[in-house]
Amino acid sequence: LVHNKCQRIAFESSSPNGILLFREASKVLVAYGQRILTGAPPTYKDKYKGISICLLLLSRALAGTYVNFGVFSLYGDAALSSAL
């Protein structure tokens, strides 16, 4: 969803769509992280593979260049800090 291959995801600077996309990706990361910390089985398939996918999602969301991350601190949005 957040893989910006060949710069195909492009939003105007005044468009909130990039922020909304990053916020939803952040919600997915936080929900999975909380689930893992509350006692998921420590097998590769159930835990470490999911963590690697989440890290890939985070790196692609940060490198996607479709959102200005300064906006999150400007408006007091915790999506960036909770994803990190």
Side-chain angles (χ1 to χ4, degrees):
L1 179 66
V2 295
H3 186 59
N4 198 6
K5 185 178 179 180
C6 299
Q7 301 297 320
R8 62 188 170 102
I9 302 173
F11 300 114
E12 295 182 22
S13 60
S14 62
S15 174
N17 294 331
I19 296 168
L20 294 174
L21 180 62
F22 184 83
R23 189 179 295 157
E24 291 301 316
S26 173
K27 286 180 186 177
V28 169
L29 291 171
V30 169
Y32 186 78
Q34 289 174 346
R35 184 185 153 277
I36 285 296
L37 290 176
T38 58
T43 62
Y44 172 77
K45 184 178 178 184
D46 295 333
K47 189 172 186 178
Y48 299 112
K49 187 174 180 181
I51 290 173
S52 69
I53 291 171
C54 283
L55 290 174
L56 181 65
L57 173 75
L58 180 63
S59 68
R60 286 181 177 172
L62 291 174
T65 66
Y66 49 81
V67 64
N68 182 3
F69 294 109
V71 173
F72 291 110
S73 64
L74 180 67
Y75 292 111
D77 192 353
L80 178 62
S81 61
S82 64
L84 295 177

